[in-house]
Amino acid sequence: MRAEAVEFLTAYHQEHDVPGLAQRITEVLDEIDLTGSYRHRGEELVYGSRVAWRQSVRCIGRVRWSALHVRDRRDVTSVAGIARELRQHLAEADRSGRIRSVMTVFAPDRPGVAPRARIWNDQLVRYCGWPAPDDSVLGDPAQHAMTRAVLRLGWRGPDAPGRFDLLPWVIETATEPPTLVAAPRKLIREVPLSHPQYPWFAELGLRWHALPVISNMRLRIGGVDYSCAPFNGHYLSDEIGTRNMGDVGRYDQLGVVARALGTDIDREDNLWREHAALVINQAILHSFRSAGVRISDPHTESELFVRFCEQEERAGRPVYGDWSWLNGSVGWAALHAVHHRYYDTRVPTPNLLPTTRPYDAAGGVGATLRDLHSAAHRELA
Ligand code: ARG
C-alpha cells in the first residue's frame, strides 16, 4: 500500500501541478502506519477514479475519461443508504437519455478483511435468466445463476416469467446480510427494438436497457480498494447488437433474424450470420436514436479511440489495452483503425479490477461480508 500510495500521490501532484507533494506523502505514510490505511482527499478520489477509467484495458470509450462525474459517497454504509444512492446514480446518469458517465464511490474495503459493502449484480440493470422446460433459458442465460441466487434469497418474481424481467438488486454490508432491493422500474429506461427497413423486426419483441452500469468491479486507487463503486458509460451498438443479442450463450437471435430475412441458414457461404448481425446492429442504432438515447456506432468509436491513443502518447504515457476486448466489440473489426495496432497489456493502478462473484452457479451463497467482518473482530478481541 505504501508504494502504491506514493506512486499515486506523485502522479496526482505532477499531472495537476499541485504543490505540497512531499508533505502529503509524509502525512499519508504516517496515517498508514497508524491505521493500516489512509483516506483519500476528495480531489484525489476524483482524479483516481478518472485515471482508473483511463487505464481500463478493455474499454474503447476512454477518450471521455476526464469527464467522468464522480459521486463521493464514502460515508454511506447501510443497505438502505446505498440503495438510495444507486437510484440517484441512475437518475443522474440517464438525464432523459442524454446519458453521462457517472461513478458512485462507497466506503473503501477494510484492508486485509473484506469489502464494507458489495453489490451482487454485475450491472444495476439486467434481465433474469429463467430455467425453461427444454433445458434452455428464458431471458438472459448470462443471468441464470444470479436469478437462482435472488430466488434463494426469497424473491417472488413476476407471475409469468418473460424474456426481459428486471432483476432485483442484492446489496450486503459489513453489518447487514445480503438484502433484496426491488429494481426501480421508473428510473430504468428501456428501448424497444425496431428496424428502419423491416417492419417485422419490431414483432420479434426485443428490447434493451439504455444504461450499462457495472456494479461488480473493484476500484483500486493508490493501494486502497473500493469494492463498491458502480460506474456507467453509454452503449456501443455492438455490445447489444452483436454480443447480447447475437451470442449463442445470450439471446441467440442470429438464426431468428436470418430466417426472417429469408436467408438459408444451412450453409455458411452466404454469410447469414454477418447479415443478421448487421441488421440487428442497424436496429439497435435506429431504435436508440429514435428514442433519443445516447449510443455510439463502431466507426465513430474507433476513430475516437485512436484520438485517445494519440493524446496518451503526446502526454508521454503508454496506451494500455487488451486487443481482444477492444476489438471484440467493434463490428467488422478489420474495417476500423483500432484493429490495426497493438497495446501495452500491463494493468497499472488506479484501475478497475474484476472480482469473484459471491454466489455459485446454483445461486448458493458463500461467506457473507458480515461473517468475514465479525470473524476479524473476534480475532482482534
Ligand atoms: N458489454 C456490457 C453490456 O452489454 C456493458 C459493458 C460496459 N459498456 C459500456 N459501454 N460502458 O451490458
Side-chain angles (χ1 to χ4, degrees), residues 29-43:
L29 294 182
D30 284 351
E31 196 178 333
I32 295 176
D33 286 343
L34 214 61
T35 68
S37 187
Y38 68 104
R39 185 176 165 87
H40 286 127
R41 288 183 178 162
E43 322 79 83

Side-chain angles (χ1 to χ4, degrees), residues 53 59-61 101 123 125-126 208-209 211-214 231-236 238-240 243-244 250 325 329:
W53 183 9
C59 178
I60 194 176
S101 303
Q123 290 191 31
V125 188
R126 295 268 93 169
W208 203 253
H209 52 91
L211 269 191
V213 194
I214 294 180
F231 60 93
N232 76 278
H234 62 266
Y235 266 116
L236 164 62
D238 298 78
E239 299 186 85
I240 311 170
R243 307 303 311 278
N244 303 351
R250 300 294 299 285
W325 274 76
S329 47

Side-chain angles (χ1 to χ4, degrees), residues 37-273:
S37 187
Y38 68 104
R39 185 176 165 87
H40 286 127
R41 288 183 178 162
E43 322 79 83
E44 292 167 354
L45 186 74
V46 171
Y47 165 78
S49 307
R50 289 176 175 164
V51 173
W53 183 9
R54 185 176 82 197
Q55 305 193 136
S56 286
V57 292
R58 298 170 170 185
C59 178
I60 194 176
R62 285 180 272 160
V63 73
R64 307 172 182 87
W65 70 272
S66 62
L68 178 67
H69 173 55
V70 180
R71 304 172 69 236
D72 180 356
R73 295 296 182 274
R74 286 176 290 173
D75 53 345
V76 177
T77 52
S78 67
V79 167
I82 291 170
R84 187 188 64 232
E85 289 301 335
L86 296 182
R87 288 190 285 268
Q88 188 59 27
H89 180 129
L90 293 180
E92 286 185 32
D94 179 77
R95 296 200 301 176
S96 315
R98 292 178 302 115
I99 297 171
R100 77 160 154 179
S101 303
V102 177
M103 177 183 272
T104 302
V105 185
F106 293 101
D109 300 4
R110 219 170 120 199
V113 178
R116 284 201 171 79
R118 174 164 71 178
I119 299 167
W120 283 25
N121 310 64
D122 59 359
Q123 290 191 31
L124 295 186
V125 188
R126 295 268 93 169
Y127 299 118
C128 295
W130 302 105
D134 55 339
D135 247 9
S136 70
V137 173
L138 177 69
D140 193 346
Q143 298 300 327
H144 190 213
M146 181 64 187
T147 305
R148 292 174 80 147
V150 294
L151 291 173
R152 283 171 83 147
L153 287 172
W155 187 52
R156 290 253 331 274
D159 293 337
R163 283 193 294 172
F164 299 99
D165 300 330
L166 294 174
L167 274 164
W169 294 337
V170 178
I171 305 171
E172 64 170 323
T173 69
T175 55
E176 295 156 287
T179 306
L180 289 166
V181 177
R185 182 169 299 280
K186 288 200 197 99
L187 294 173
I188 295 172
R189 188 177 300 281
E190 292 179 276
V191 180
L193 302 184
S194 61
H195 191 279
Q197 275 105 48
Y198 304 115
W200 50 261
F201 198 98
E203 281 148 42
L204 299 175
L206 302 173
R207 59 203 287 124
W208 203 253
H209 52 91
L211 269 191
V213 194
I214 294 180
S215 47
N216 68 345
M217 291 186 88
R218 183 158 51 91
L219 169 66
R220 188 175 171 96
I221 301 175
V224 177
D225 285 318
Y226 298 89
S227 285
C228 195
F231 60 93
N232 76 278
H234 62 266
Y235 266 116
L236 164 62
S237 51
D238 298 78
E239 299 186 85
I240 311 170
T242 312
R243 307 303 311 278
N244 303 351
M245 288 299 158
D247 279 3
V248 175
R250 300 294 299 285
Y251 280 80
D252 195 15
Q253 293 296 302
L254 294 183
V256 175
V257 171
R259 273 194 298 270
L261 285 163
T263 323
D264 181 358
I265 65 166
D266 291 321
R267 45 199 284 193
E268 291 299 339
D269 62 359
N270 56 3
L271 304 183
W272 62 268
R273 292 169 208 280

Side-chain angles (χ1 to χ4, degrees), residues 275-287:
H275 186 193
L278 174 66
V279 168
I280 302 174
N281 275 276
Q282 289 169 331
I284 300 289
L285 286 163
H286 165 78
S287 311

